[in-house]
Amino acid sequence: MKKAAYSFPEEVLEHVFSFIVSDKDRSSISLVCKSWYEIERWCRRKVFVGNCYAVSPPILIKRFPELRSVTLKGKPHFADFNLVPEGWGGFACPWIRAMAGAYPWLEEIRLKRMVVSDESLEIIAKSFRNFKVLVLSSCEGFTTEGLAAIAANCRNLRELDLRESEVEDLSGRWLSDFPDSYTSLESLNISCLGNEVNLLALERLVSRCPNLKTLRLNRAVPLDRLPNLLRGAPQLAELGTGAYTSEMRPDVFSNLAEAFAGCKQLKTLSGFWDVLPSYLPAVYPICSQLISLNLSYATVQSPDLIKLVSLCEKLQKLWVLDYIEDDGLEVLAASCKDLRELRVFPSDPFGLEPNVALTEQGLVSVSEGCPKLQSVLYFCRQMSNAALNTIARNRPNLTRFRLCIIEPRSPDYLTLQPLDDGFGAIVEHCKDLRRLSLSGLLTDRVFEYIGTYGKKLEMLSVAFAGDSDLGLHHVLSGCDNLRKLEIRDCPFGDKALLANAAKLETMRSLWMSSCSVSFGACKVLGQKMPRLNVEVMDESGPPDSRPESSPVEKLYVYRTVAGPRLDMPGFVWTMDDDSALRIS
Amino acid sequence: MARESLGFEITELRLGLPGEPKSLVSTNKNEKKRMFSEIDGNGDNEKKSNTGGNLKTTESKAQVVGWPPVCSYRKKNSMNEATKMYVKVSMDGAPFLRKIDLGMHKGYSELALALEKLFGCYGMGEALKDPENCEHVPIYEDKEGDWMLVGDVPWEMFMESCKRLRIMKRSDAWQIERTYIEIDEIKEKNV
């Protein structure tokens, strides 16, 4: 290949590229010309695969032979709400096996919503000499035996994070499998484990790892053991407590308070299961240094929450239960001027009546008082267009807005009108909005607003909304940056889907369940768009045993270069070219 | 204290000394059918519809899969240790004891239905409404070791104090009743 006289030698380009870390930029570089593509692929060290079925292990390995870090995501987001049946897919094993062979120097594996077996963990433990980071986020399929293999073999492990995974907890013994000579732990998150770990082993591990910055314990670690752990790691920056309750004894309290005060670098607190309110003051001394506080499991009432929160003047992130109530949010708005992210979770999501005095007013207060607020997740039982309008005007800098009004199809409680205008104001004023979740009574009009104004929108979640295909059409045709669209229980059907088929190739994925998309339309889509996998899920039997016009239970469409997947369970059918042959 | 008509003396089953104050006893204790109307309206919804109606409303709330969108990890881990209240349930004549999580139920009518399902002893709901005509009577052992009739106290109080449940045959209740009357009579004689 001719090299232009002015081009840099490969080594120089490689060196320059090494400063480009963002995936998007790397991708752009690789498109400049063939030689840049080649150089880039050989020096790419980190890859993010947002949908593990969009590509296959051989394709990845062929293109990027020298990876050190791989991130994979499996199941669709709605799996978090039990909408994806057991056995659907997202199996990590084929990836791990392939990478074990191809990347002996792999250092980091991050998996989200994937099924990971003990066998996979054993392969990881034995295959990568320099393995440093294992993050299993909302994963399942493994037991503490797999963890034992990691502990015993990964001499250079820095991070073991099992956040929100479902682990079959056979025994707490695995922690003792970290050898005494092992001291490189920097981050440990075992908050999802059900049983007690060997506390002595934990204490010894914590105190011999001088770089331990993050420690998130599980519920089973009793409060009276926390002071010892803290004293063993005064350099801790992030702590997740275990159960935050104990017999109320002054000596336990003062021990705890002293231990907390000794952690001068502590910036993040979480855990707080089973909180005994009289123990909360033990953290008061460090509140002024906290930037992140997760109290979303703390079932304490508003007054206790208010006391705590009002001391956290540097707080940037707060996750809390709706026990905080409107009053508490008003205090938050007054005290925490640096707040960037607020998540308010429901304490009684299935109750028929409100159990707390939390309304739209709480969110309005925070939107007024916290100028840096960017990210909101809010569960409540009533909302109005006026409130949404106010929030939108107060906070045009919102980038993530997820509102869940608990009762489906709830109208504006003041006017009984749909909440179209309110959400419309949100998308109109918040020009950098990237993520939006809708709820309440909504017509096609809200989708018109979203299509018109939601130009930066990347992810949209819709439930029990809309009147017709026009709604879906507005979104698919208007939202230029849409990557993920997930819809449930909406009257959207074939027309909008087929009319916007090409759009689907520009997105990561589309989920539609309990909508009105017919089996026939799915087949057409599958046949028309070879670079999409169109998967129909139906637990009541093969979709072709019903008329073509019958709506499918669940539809999951995603772009891929790997063709239809081969690991589908019995209730998933793919609508590709030979779908007719495959089903029968 | 004057005794009620025989059919309701089951409520007087106590292992404590006669005359000891019982803070768990609700105030309108002397009404003939009090516990059953209380069960119907007290711990449960304000609606006075029949058991089935109540259950349908509460059940249908939980039946929309995945809504509200609280992730399953959060749902599982939000349960307070205190709300996992498994108690043993025995039924006279049944070979095996069962366990039931009181924390899973919102009130007596839901409990009644759960017990019916567990043991196939239909009519538990009715037993709570009309004890005279029912074959089975649910009783529970409280923290102090006393056996009490289910339904006297507010549901939350019941959840806190119930250690185990027993579904007794009405005919057996008479036997125990008689024994206690005898014991009390002996005690009174000896005072």
Side-chain angles (χ1 to χ4, degrees):
Chain A
M1 191 192 330
K2 267 196 218 169
K3 280 196 184 154
Y6 53 79
S7 75
F8 292 118
E10 268 186 34
E11 298 78 19
V12 177
L13 277 173
E14 214 180 288
H15 182 70
V16 172
F17 291 173
S18 69
F19 294 100
I20 315 286
V21 286
S22 127
D23 293 324
K24 268 190 98 183
D25 291 342
R26 278 275 175 167
S27 191
S28 305
I29 290 172
S30 66
L31 294 172
V32 167
C33 62
K34 275 206 175 122
S35 67
W36 280 37
Y37 178 91
E38 278 300 306
I39 298 166
E40 194 283 317
R41 76 183 188 89
W42 277 96
C43 69
R44 175 97 61 121
R45 296 285 172 261
K46 219 175 146 149
V47 134
F48 169 83
V49 180
N51 174 5
C52 65
Y53 292 118
V55 73
S56 69
I59 294 174
L60 179 76
I61 291 167
K62 187 164 176 222
R63 180 168 172 192
F64 300 116
E66 299 275 335
L67 293 180
R68 298 278 184 273
S69 164
V70 175
T71 302
L72 296 169
K73 288 187 173 182
K75 299 184 208 169
H77 175 235
F78 274 1
D80 287 353
F81 315 127
N82 295 329
L83 287 174
V84 176
E86 199 70 24
W88 173 85
F91 303 109
C93 205
W95 286 93
I96 301 205
R97 281 220 191 92
M99 294 191 298
Y103 303 130
W105 298 110
L106 191 68
E107 295 176 4
E108 304 180 354
I109 294 178
R110 294 179 172 83
L111 305 175
K112 185 166 185 178
R113 290 193 202 96
M114 293 195 76
V115 179
V116 183
S117 62
D118 281 346
E119 191 202 339
S120 298
L121 293 177
E122 275 150 34
I123 294 175
I124 292 173
K126 307 267 173 63
S127 312
F128 308 115
R129 287 283 141 113
N130 210 17
F131 196 67
K132 297 199 170 110
V133 172
L134 181 63
V135 178
L136 301 174
S137 176
S138 303
C139 293
E140 53 167 349
F142 59 102
T143 78
T144 40
E145 291 304 298
L147 297 179
I150 299 284
N153 294 288
C154 300
R155 299 297 155 103
N156 294 308
L157 192 70
R158 304 250 171 92
E159 191 174 325
L160 178 61
D161 185 339
L162 307 174
R163 61 178 81 156
E164 314 213 343
S165 290
E166 219 174 282
V167 186
E168 200 184 326
D169 198 334
L170 301 172
S171 124
R173 197 195 39 75
W174 68 273
L175 205 69
S176 319
D177 287 340
F178 281 110
D180 289 336
S181 55
Y182 168 73
T183 58
S184 43
L185 194 63
E186 292 177 14
S187 171
L188 181 67
N189 180 353
I190 53 167
S191 53
C192 62
L193 294 182
N195 293 335
E196 244 192 49
V197 286
N198 184 330
L199 288 171
L200 228 51
L202 180 62
E203 273 172 33
R204 278 195 249 111
L205 178 66
V206 163
S207 52
R208 72 172 181 270
C209 295
N211 297 317
L212 188 68
K213 285 287 186 313
T214 299
L215 179 64
R216 299 200 202 271
L217 305 167
N218 62 338
R219 200 170 189 167
V221 176
L223 190 59
D224 55 1
R225 297 299 282 263
L226 190 55
N228 255 4
L229 286 162
L230 292 179
R231 272 188 265 275
Q235 74 284 0
L236 266 185
E238 301 185 329
L239 173 74
T241 73
Y244 202 76
T245 185
S246 183
E247 232 176 77
M248 190 47 193
R249 281 170 27 216
D251 56 320
V252 174
F253 180 90
S254 55
N255 202 11
L256 185 63
E258 240 181 78
F260 270 123
C263 295
K264 307 270 184 234
Q265 325 261 17
L266 203 49
K267 300 228 164 33
T268 299
L269 275 183
S270 61
F272 294 108
W273 286 286
D274 312 311
V275 177
L276 187 65
S278 29
Y279 271 111
L280 280 176
V283 305
Y284 288 174
I286 50 156
C287 281
S288 57
Q289 61 196 60
L290 292 179
I291 59 170
S292 171
L293 187 53
N294 182 351
L295 294 167
S296 61
Y297 294 103
T299 50
V300 283
Q301 302 303 315
S302 187
D304 297 305
L305 290 168
I306 287 177
K307 280 214 80 180
L308 191 55
V309 151
S310 58
L311 294 170
C312 302
E313 51 195 40
K314 294 213 181 83
L315 205 60
Q316 294 179 15
K317 178 164 134 175
L318 176 66
W319 290 21
V320 72
L321 285 170
D322 54 11
Y323 288 124
I324 195 167
E325 299 190 330
D326 289 341
D327 288 344
L329 290 175
E330 215 179 299
V331 172
L332 178 71
S335 318
C336 306
K337 295 304 184 183
D338 221 11
L339 195 71
R340 322 261 159 114
E341 179 178 326
L342 174 67
R343 293 196 194 191
V344 178
F345 295 95
S347 52
D348 185 19
F350 304 110
L352 288 172
E353 302 295 327
N355 61 324
V356 290
L358 180 105
T359 67
E360 80 283 8
Q361 190 45 51
L363 186 56
V364 170
S365 306
V366 179
S367 76
E368 266 160 18
C370 302
K372 298 197 188 151
L373 187 69
Q374 287 174 353
S375 173
V376 169
L377 169 62
Y378 200 75
F379 282 80
C380 60
R381 287 172 190 272
Q382 69 185 43
M383 187 49 65
S384 65
N385 283 309
L388 285 170
N389 217 301
T390 305
I391 292 165
R393 280 167 208 274
N394 284 340
R395 291 276 65 77
N397 49 325
L398 284 174
T399 55
R400 287 179 209 85
F401 189 74
R402 296 157 71 187
L403 180 68
C404 177
I405 304 164
I406 288 178
E407 181 66 33
R409 303 195 185 91
S410 300
D412 176 324
Y413 77 101
L414 294 169
T415 65
L416 299 181
Q417 293 301 300
L419 290 167
D420 300 334
D421 289 341
F423 279 106
I426 295 280
V427 289
E428 188 186 342
H429 293 279
C430 306
K431 302 207 190 298
D432 290 321
L433 196 69
R434 294 198 307 267
R435 185 165 178 185
L436 178 64
S437 299
L438 304 173
S439 58
L441 182 65
L442 298 164
T443 71
D444 283 346
R445 213 151 53 91
V446 73
F447 298 108
E448 201 182 332
Y449 287 132
I450 293 172
T452 306
Y453 295 110
K455 294 307 182 188
K456 297 262 180 76
L457 202 61
E458 296 178 8
M459 182 167 175
L460 179 65
S461 309
V462 188
F464 306 103
D467 311 307
S468 74
D469 271 47
L470 210 51
L472 180 58
H473 175 71
H474 284 310
V475 172
L476 289 176
S477 58
C479 297
D480 301 330
N481 281 293
L482 196 63
R483 292 190 298 116
K484 289 181 276 184
L485 180 57
E486 45 185 29
I487 302 173
R488 62 163 296 175
D489 294 274
C490 296
F492 298 148
D494 304 344
K495 280 194 258 153
L497 194 61
L498 294 175
N500 293 283
K503 170 74 173 175
L504 299 178
E505 264 188 25
T506 69
M507 292 165 54
R508 183 189 295 173
S509 65
L510 166 69
W511 167 283
M512 291 179 76
S513 58
S514 307
C515 296
S516 314
V517 181
S518 73
F519 173 54
C522 294
K523 279 206 290 190
V524 169
L525 189 63
Q527 282 153 14
K528 248 176 79 168
M529 312 290 298
R531 283 182 304 205
L532 292 179
N533 276 356
V534 179
E535 292 181 9
V536 166
M537 258 177 268
D538 212 318
E539 289 182 280
S540 56
D544 64 345
S545 62
R546 288 178 286 286
E548 288 229 340
S549 54
S550 307
V552 297
E553 223 173 69
K554 293 169 186 167
L555 172 67
Y556 186 50
V557 182
Y558 55 90
R559 65 179 174 189
T560 180
V561 295
R565 59 184 176 115
L566 304 169
D567 61 359
M568 287 176 294
F571 54 84
V572 178
W573 287 268
T574 186
M575 310 280 111
D576 73 343
D577 291 339
D578 355 301
S579 58
L581 299 169
R582 251 174 232 208
I583 286 172
S584 39
Chain B
M1 197 165 42
R3 298 235 176 224
E4 315 277 312
S5 79
L6 236 39
F8 297 92
E9 266 145 354
I10 192 164
T11 66
E12 301 281 87
L13 287 175
R14 302 276 184 270
L15 294 179
L17 295 170
E20 238 179 62
K22 287 283 180 191
S23 53
L24 295 175
V25 171
S26 64
T27 47
N28 32 346
K29 201 186 178 326
N30 292 323
E31 190 196 346
K32 190 163 182 173
K33 293 224 181 212
R34 77 211 173 290
M35 70 286 284
F36 311 106
S37 52
E38 263 170 354
I39 288 167
D40 226 16
N42 197 4
D44 301 24
N45 300 333
E46 270 115 67
K47 298 185 199 164
K48 277 236 169 195
S49 51
N50 62 43
T51 312
N54 268 350
L55 285 162
K56 282 211 184 75
T57 341
T58 45
E59 269 177 26
S60 61
K61 203 68 198 200
Q63 250 160 37
V64 181
V65 177
W67 192 267
V70 177
C71 57
S72 40
Y73 173 82
R74 180 165 290 280
K75 266 192 272 187
K76 273 186 217 141
N77 288 278
S78 292
M79 301 264 283
N80 254 337
E81 290 300 293
T83 67
K84 278 218 164 69
M85 300 157 135
Y86 277 98
V87 296
K88 288 185 191 169
V89 192
S90 61
M91 170 146 128
D92 295 352
F96 297 109
L97 270 64
R98 303 297 301 270
K99 264 206 160 159
I100 196 167
D101 181 357
L102 296 181
M104 288 296 291
H105 304 290
K106 292 237 167 62
Y108 287 113
S109 39
E110 275 193 31
L111 175 68
L113 201 76
L115 290 174
E116 282 182 8
K117 278 202 190 133
L118 264 188
F119 290 105
C121 58
Y122 296 99
M124 188 62 45
E126 279 65 41
L128 294 175
K129 286 195 213 120
D130 183 9
E132 288 194 73
N133 297 324
C134 214
E135 212 208 320
H136 294 107
V137 180
I139 58 175
Y140 70 100
E141 184 181 5
D142 72 2
K143 283 190 174 147
E144 285 149 20
D146 296 327
W147 285 94
M148 320 273 284
L149 181 71
V150 170
D152 277 352
V153 300
W155 173 253
E156 286 73 25
M157 207 185 272
F158 166 74
M159 275 208 294
E160 305 248 293
S161 49
C162 173
K163 267 174 45 194
R164 54 186 299 169
L165 277 163
R166 178 175 164 196
I167 300 175
M168 206 182 215
K169 283 214 194 96
R170 169 145 296 282
S171 46
D172 284 354
W174 290 98
Q175 306 268 2
I176 295 179
E177 199 333 273
R178 212 171 295 142
T179 316
Y180 275 94
I181 292 174
E182 284 167 12
I183 291 174
D184 278 345
E185 281 169 359
I186 290 166
K187 283 191 178 146
E188 266 164 34
K189 278 197 192 134
N190 290 340
V191 160

